[in-house]
């Protein structure tokens, strides 16, 4: 049996183990909640993570479509980028898949001489990790951009109120965009 | 953060340590906390321990006897508020509230579970005020109040938006928001506030609104709205400030004078008042309905609140209408009567247009603008063209204070359904009493804590995403100025195509004025459906 067949065959076990180790990157009380609560609105993080890992695994099996997989990665990373993770821990979940696969298919890989195929798969996973890093950076940049925009708009509004700026610049204050501080 | 060695970094099967919460000291993370208060902000209102300090510093420059002050303050409040004493005693740690807080759901930090958030203080209470705690210490869930524990209390008191979602699920009715409110009050005894709250409180006390806008600035601002409205509708709407003898005083959150989204909501009110010929005045002295004092201490909330009635008395108005604001209504609905009882120098509010008596406002004499407008619509007193809002597929974010806090659930919906043709609800466990907080309430809508805001708002944004994907929703309506300012950033991060609008912006678009010209744009100057440039 080739590696891909093996992965398909053991899909649910691998996915279960992968999601378990990913969820365990959270503190124990949190991990218990993320696993227990199945309602996607009461537990958005859990449901996005479970769904996201499944989607990403599917891509690895089917052949990667980079646009699609970026969206799947984004769903998970956008969340981890605002949680208590260092950058490395935020994207470590990708590497955890390597570990799970090696552990789960250790015997079969050895018996069927699949280490070359395994290496190929692992480099695909590495590519995902690179993609993940870019996405993580974009999310963090977005946060800083939102901060900066709020502060800029605040300053702008103050200057305008103080009549230090004339209305010609009105167009630049876009009510649809990031608005000023409200209070 | 300490520099990690490569071999540590590659230990990718990272699992956080399994220590009990008491043995896990809080790490105060930048992006999560707001800047500490400035010296001058505390001085203005005579708050204790006014000094320059920084959250990131080791030394918070506390008075030598800080512990004594804190514990004395705690003791005093335990005897003053029976509910507080109960909240300290009766929690059975059943966990029903644990997973109901948006900060926990979105962020995953266990100390944001409401039960643990309250436990941060309860453990201190036990240690100093209960026999079991005094004798058994940690075994009885008690711990000493140390400098680090104080910092932890501060950190998590400013990670609770006092939204009360958790209390909805507590079988004993324990309100963790009230616990946070009192923790903040205790911290204020030591001069430990955040500038985003302390600054507006000082401005409001001195000038009458959060930004410190002076009377002439307010007048200029409303003048510019008047000019914009005339351009859009061809009608010059009138307004007045400080007009003695007007029937009604209108009090709104000052963010509406300042924030572009709020501006448009305010323009909606102006059109409405003009159209029905309401005898209403604004005030430059009480140009703020939002009461940030409520986020510092009961006393400060009262001081700011009483200004509204002093002005109503001075102007000799009969009653008050309040604008689209969140916590302003919480103060009015849940605290006003305890503080002051019925107001005797104002009249019971009756709509001059429909004759409706607002019985619910019998005591405090203030009517919510949405109640007022919904009543007008119900009686067919205004002409509406909802097709002008046809570019918008709308959903409603129930603001915590108005929905869960005061039970106003139908009025904003009734209004939206009359002024828009496309309205879609988010899933039931995310709206009405169950609504998820914007993640920025109770004075946490600063910019430096953006990460906190994004995680706190995640459950709300997740539900918005659902209706966006399912029905093509592109408009998030709400009736709170903090929402209007904070939710747009939240949408930009989680649901980029969704635009935030006040309910009275939608009213203003749909309202057909007597003598108006053919409108080509909405109140933001964007083309109406069918009027796009060819
Ligand atoms: S009041 Fe709201 S923010 Fe505070 S603990 Fe309860 S759910 Fe969380
Ligand atoms: S639901 Fe009430 S009793 Fe149960 S843990 Fe929460 S606060 Fe305590």
């Amino acid at each position: 049996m080739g590696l891909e067949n093996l992965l398909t065959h053991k899909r649910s076990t691998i996915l279960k183990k992968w999601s378990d180790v990913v969820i365990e990157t959270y503190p124990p009380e949190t991990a218990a909640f993320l696993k227990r609560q199945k309602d996607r609105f009461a537990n958005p993080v859990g449901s996005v993570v479970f769904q996201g890992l499944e989607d990403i695994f599917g891509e690895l099996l089917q052949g990667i479509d980079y646009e699609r997989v970026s969206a799947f990665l984004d769903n998970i990373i956008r969340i981890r980028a605002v949680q208590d993770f260092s950058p490395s821990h935020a994207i470590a979940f990708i590497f955890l898949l390597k570990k799970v696969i090696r552990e789960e298919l250790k015997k079969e890989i050895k018996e069927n001489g699949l280490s070359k195929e395994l290496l190929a798969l692992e480099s695909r996973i590495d590519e995902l990790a690179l993609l993940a890093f870019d996405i993580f950076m974009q999310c963090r940049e977005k946060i800083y951009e939102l901060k900066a925009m709020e502060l800029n708009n605040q300053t702008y509004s103050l200057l305008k109120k103080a009549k230090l700026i004339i209305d010609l610049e009105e167009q630049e204050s876009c009510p649809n965009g990031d608005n000023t501080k409200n209070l | 953060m300490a520099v990690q060695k490569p071999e540590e970094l590659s230990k990718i099967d990272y699992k956080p340590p399994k220590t009990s919460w008491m043995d896990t000291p809080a790490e105060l993370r930048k992006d999560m906390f707001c800047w500490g208060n400035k010296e001058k902000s505390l001085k203005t209102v005579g708050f204790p321990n006014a000094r320059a300090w920084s959250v990131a510093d080791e030394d918070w420059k506390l008075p030598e006897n800080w512990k004594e002050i804190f514990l004395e303050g705690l003791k005093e409040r335990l005897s003053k508020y029976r509910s507080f004493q109960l909240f300290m005693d009766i929690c059975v740690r059943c966990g029903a509230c644990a997973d109901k807080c948006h900060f926990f759901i979105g962020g995953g930090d266990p100390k944001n579970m409401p039960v643990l958030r309250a436990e941060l203080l309860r453990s201190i209470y036990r240690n100093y005020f209960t026999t079991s705690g005094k004798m058994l210490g940690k075994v009885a869930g008690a711990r000493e109040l140390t400098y680090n524990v104080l910092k932890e209390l501060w950190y998590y008191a400013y990670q609770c938006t006092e939204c009360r979602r958790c209390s909805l699920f507590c079988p004993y009715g324990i309100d963790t928001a009230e616990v946070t409110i009192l923790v903040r009050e205790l911290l204020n005894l030591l001069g430990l506030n955040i500038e985003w709250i302390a600054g507006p409180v000082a401005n409001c006390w001195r000038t009458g609104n959060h930004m410190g806008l002076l009377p002439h600035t307010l007048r200029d601002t409303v003048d510019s709205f008047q000019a914009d409205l005339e351009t859009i509708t061809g009608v010059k709407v009138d307004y007045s400030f400080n007009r003695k003898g007007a029937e009604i005083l209108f009090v709104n959150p000052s963010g509406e004078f300042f924030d572009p989204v709020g501006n448009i909501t305010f323009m909606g009110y102006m059109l409405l008042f003009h159209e029905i010929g309401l005898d209403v005045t604004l005030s430059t002295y009480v140009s703020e309905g939002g009461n940030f004092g409520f986020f510092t201490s009961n006393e400060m909330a009262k001081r700011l609140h009483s200004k509204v009635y002093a002005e109503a008395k001075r102007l000799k108005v009969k009653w008050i209408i309040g604008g689209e604001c969140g916590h302003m209504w919480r103060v009015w609905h849940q605290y006003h009567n305890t503080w002051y009882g019925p107001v005797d120098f104002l009249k019971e509010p009756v709509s001059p247009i429909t004759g409706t008596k607002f019985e619910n406002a019998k005591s405090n004499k203030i009517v919510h603008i949405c109640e007022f407008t919904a009543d007008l619509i119900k009686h067919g007193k205004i002409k509406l063209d909802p097709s002008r809002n046809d570019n918008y597929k709308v959903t409603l974010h129930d603001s915590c204070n108005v929905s869960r806090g005061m039970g106003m659930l139908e009025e904003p919906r009734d209004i939206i359904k009359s002024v828009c043709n496309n309205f879609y609800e988010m899933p039931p466990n995310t709206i009405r009493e169950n609504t998820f907080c914007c993640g920025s309430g109770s004075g946490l809508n600063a910019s430096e804590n953006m990460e906190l805001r994004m995680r706190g708002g995640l459950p709300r944004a997740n539900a918005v995403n659902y209706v966006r994907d399912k029905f093509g929703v592109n408009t998030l309506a709400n009736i709170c100025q903090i929402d209007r300012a904070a939710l747009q950033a939240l949408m930009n991060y989680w649901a980029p195509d969704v635009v935030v609008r006040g309910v009275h912006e939608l009213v203003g678009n749909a309202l057909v004025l007597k003598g108006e010209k053919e409108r080509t744009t909405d109140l933001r100057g964007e083309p109406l459906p069918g009027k796009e440039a060819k």
Side-chain angles (χ1 to χ4, degrees), chain B residues 104-282:
Chain B
F104 175 67
I105 296 172
D109 179 348
K111 284 179 186 164
N112 275 325
M113 298 193 292
V115 53
L116 255 193
R117 192 192 302 289
E119 206 62 15
L120 299 177
L121 179 70
R122 249 183 225 123
S123 54
I124 295 163
Y125 159 72
R126 290 196 196 101
N127 197 59
Y128 298 95
F129 299 97
T130 68
T131 320
S132 61
K134 278 180 194 159
M135 283 169 59
L136 300 171
K138 203 170 158 186
V139 183
R143 64 170 175 171
E144 241 186 87
L145 176 59
T146 63
Y147 212 90
N148 279 341
V149 165
L150 185 76
K151 288 188 172 183
E152 182 181 56
L153 277 173
W154 182 88
Y155 189 57
Y156 288 101
Y158 291 99
Q159 284 186 44
C160 166
T161 42
E162 304 177 355
C163 78
R164 290 188 59 218
R165 188 168 196 268
C166 49
S167 78
L168 203 66
F169 299 88
C170 174
Y172 297 92
I174 294 174
D175 187 349
T176 302
E178 289 287 334
V179 176
T180 297
I181 288 171
L182 284 157
V183 172
R184 289 196 188 178
E185 192 165 315
L186 292 168
L187 291 165
N188 264 288
L189 298 175
L190 302 171
L192 297 175
N193 201 324
I194 60 174
E195 181 54 20
W196 196 254
I197 292 175
V201 166
N203 281 338
C204 202
W205 178 243
R206 200 182 41 221
T207 324
N209 58 65
H210 290 155
M211 298 308 303
L213 304 178
L214 295 168
H216 62 280
T217 313
L218 287 170
R219 187 170 281 277
D220 284 352
T221 303
V222 180
D223 267 349
S224 75
F225 296 161
Q226 188 187 43
D228 287 351
L229 285 172
E230 191 172 3
T231 312
I232 296 165
T233 67
V235 174
K236 187 168 182 187
V237 301
D238 40 75
Y239 73 90
S240 60
F241 271 108
N242 307 336
R243 182 161 57 84
K244 284 196 177 165
E247 181 181 356
I248 297 161
L249 170 65
F250 183 64
V251 183
N252 62 305
S254 67
E256 290 174 346
F257 296 122
F258 192 74
D259 156 52
V261 186
N263 290 172
I264 316 283
T265 309
F266 189 86
M267 285 158 73
Y269 309 145
M270 287 177 78
L271 287 181
L272 180 75
F273 294 162
H274 172 89
E275 178 60 16
I276 59 174
L278 199 67
D279 182 12
V280 62
T281 184
L282 297 156

Side-chain angles (χ1 to χ4, degrees), chain A residues 14-29:
Chain A
I14 294 172
L15 263 176
K16 164 92 178 49
K17 290 206 166 152
W18 189 22
S19 52
D20 278 351
V21 289
V22 173
I23 293 295
E24 278 163 17
T25 58
Y26 289 91
E29 301 88 337

